[in-house]
């Protein structure tokens, strides 16, 4: 069974996912960061494969992506690195943009995901209709979840369509902003409640702006959990001996 399916079957609340950029701070740090997050008790990891034009990302993740590209990071190298951590039981999701996936070849990409223990993929700029028409069957063939996104501007009818097509959790973008933006959880409570009323039992993970224990706790009142990215990338900046930093960061969120 897909590890994400197992996770959401057995745990329903306060799930913590942490995003980090593959090949950052150094090219070969991908496996080290993943292993430390697993050891620290994160529920699943989200690994970003860098792209030169990450349109949904704020300056922190953009900077990490540029550094990773400067380090020589590629999609092929990412899969080579993922092969070295297949023993980890933690579910893993890849996040990136459609251009490098298409250059790599969609089916080849999904084959490598299956081979290296990847459970899901987030492609924010893959249109829903294009996914449904051209790629849904390939994702199903290889047992990989395509994680779909909802934003505050998504109409109710579209939300219900996304819930119908979703095969795993839905990524609930907390605000109409880039990653790393400040989040006022009180201001988006009605949005969270609206989505919950429309998706039924579909798991929801909130992202964008969750940065500390307070924002994590707040969004978990309305969702199954949250994804933290920019705040974690900041914690890794200029810190080559980051093992203790990873454990401390996760503890600061989960307690």
């Amino acid at each position: 069974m897909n590890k994400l399916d197992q996770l959401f079957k057995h745990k329903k609340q306060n799930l913590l996912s942490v995003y980090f950029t593959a090949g950052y701070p150094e090219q070969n740090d991908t496996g080290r960061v993943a292993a430390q997050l697993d050891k620290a008790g994160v529920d699943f990891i989200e690994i970003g494969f860098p792209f030169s034009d990450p349109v949904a990302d704020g300056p922190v993740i953009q900077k990490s992506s540029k550094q990773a590209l400067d380090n020589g990071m590629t999609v092929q190298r990412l899969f080579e690195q993922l092969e070295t951590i297949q023993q980890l039981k933690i579910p893993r999701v890849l996040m990136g943009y459609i251009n490098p996936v298409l250059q790599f070849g969609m089916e080849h990409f999904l084959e490598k995901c299956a081979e290296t223990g990847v459970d899901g993929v987030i492609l924010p700029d893959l249109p829903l209709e294009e996914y449904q028409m051209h790629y849904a069957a390939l994702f199903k063939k290889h047992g990989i979840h395509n994680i779909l996104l909802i934003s505050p501007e998504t109409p109710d009818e579209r939300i219900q369509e996304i819930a119908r097509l979703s095969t795993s959790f839905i990524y609930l973008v907390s605000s109409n902003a880039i990653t790393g933006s400040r989040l006022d959880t009180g201001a988006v409570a009605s949005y969270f409640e609206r989505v919950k009323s429309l998706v039924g039992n579909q798991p929801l993970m909130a992202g964008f702006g969750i940065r500390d224990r307070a924002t994590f706790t707040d969004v978990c009142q309305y969702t199954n959990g949250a994804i933290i990215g920019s705040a974690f990338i900041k914690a890794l900046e200029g810190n080559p001996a980051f093992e203790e930093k990873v454990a401390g960061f996760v503890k600061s969120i989960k307690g």
Side-chain angles (χ1 to χ4, degrees), residues 14 16 40-42 212-214 216-217 228 247-255:
N14 300 317
L16 173 62
V42 168
D212 52 25
R213 187 182 300 184
F216 175 75
T217 301
I228 298 180
F249 180 87
V250 174
K251 186 176 182 180
S252 75
I253 305 298
K254 298 185 73 172

Side-chain angles (χ1 to χ4, degrees), residues 185-243:
T185 49
V188 296
S190 60
Y191 157 54
F192 287 166
E193 292 285 15
R194 176 173 68 92
V195 173
K196 280 182 64 178
S197 72
L198 292 167
V199 303
N201 294 323
Q202 204 77 30
L204 294 171
M205 293 290 294
F208 287 51
I210 296 94
R211 62 191 179 277
D212 52 25
R213 187 182 300 184
T215 48
F216 175 75
T217 301
D218 285 348
V219 299
C220 285
Q221 296 178 66
Y222 308 98
T223 66
N224 298 84
I227 300 166
I228 298 180
S230 295
F232 180 68
I233 297 291
K234 282 184 180 179
L236 295 181
E237 283 181 353
N239 197 346
F242 54 69
E243 282 80 2

Side-chain angles (χ1 to χ4, degrees), residues 150-186:
I150 288 172
S151 81
E153 298 302 316
T154 307
D156 289 2
E157 184 177 336
R158 183 76 162 186
I159 291 173
Q160 291 173 318
E161 176 73 356
I162 288 169
R164 184 181 69 81
L165 292 174
S166 179
T167 58
S168 184
F169 73 90
I170 295 172
Y171 194 125
L172 186 58
V173 178
S174 62
S175 60
N176 292 321
I178 53 177
T179 58
S181 303
R182 304 288 289 185
L183 174 65
D184 179 357
T185 49

Side-chain angles (χ1 to χ4, degrees), residues 7-152:
L7 173 63
F8 283 99
K9 181 178 179 181
H10 294 105
K11 187 172 181 180
K12 307 294 184 184
Q13 294 179 309
N14 300 317
L15 284 94
L16 173 62
S17 176
V18 171
Y19 167 97
F20 65 96
T21 303
Y24 178 85
E26 302 294 337
Q27 186 193 114
N28 293 324
D29 284 338
T30 309
R32 290 174 61 204
V33 176
Q36 289 301 317
L37 287 170
D38 183 27
K39 184 178 179 181
V42 168
D43 293 295
F44 68 94
I45 54 176
E46 184 182 323
I47 306 171
F49 51 94
F51 180 51
S52 57
D53 188 22
V55 292
D57 293 314
V60 173
I61 294 178
Q62 284 188 28
K63 182 180 176 183
S64 69
S65 291
K66 183 180 184 306
Q67 182 62 54
L69 290 171
D70 290 346
N71 290 341
M73 198 62 196
T74 65
V75 173
Q76 179 59 41
R77 284 200 176 97
L78 172 57
F79 285 125
E80 291 168 2
Q81 293 172 349
L82 290 173
E83 288 176 358
T84 70
I85 59 169
Q86 289 205 64
Q87 77 282 4
L88 300 182
K89 293 183 172 58
I90 190 169
R92 61 216 72 175
V93 173
L94 298 187
M95 185 274 177
Y97 296 88
I98 190 66
N99 186 281
V101 174
L102 294 179
Q103 288 185 351
F104 194 79
M106 179 64 83
E107 181 148 27
H108 187 206
F109 181 84
L110 294 173
E111 286 173 351
K112 296 300 292 184
C113 284
E115 289 174 10
T116 56
V118 172
D119 304 285
V121 177
I122 302 170
L123 298 169
D125 57 344
L126 173 60
L128 184 65
E129 290 77 14
E130 188 170 339
Y131 160 69
Q132 189 176 6
M133 185 178 300
H134 299 293
Y135 303 122
L138 286 178
F139 276 84
K140 183 176 181 180
K141 174 183 174 181
H142 295 286
I144 306 298
H145 292 303
N146 180 33
I147 309 302
L148 304 175
L149 293 86
I150 288 172
S151 81

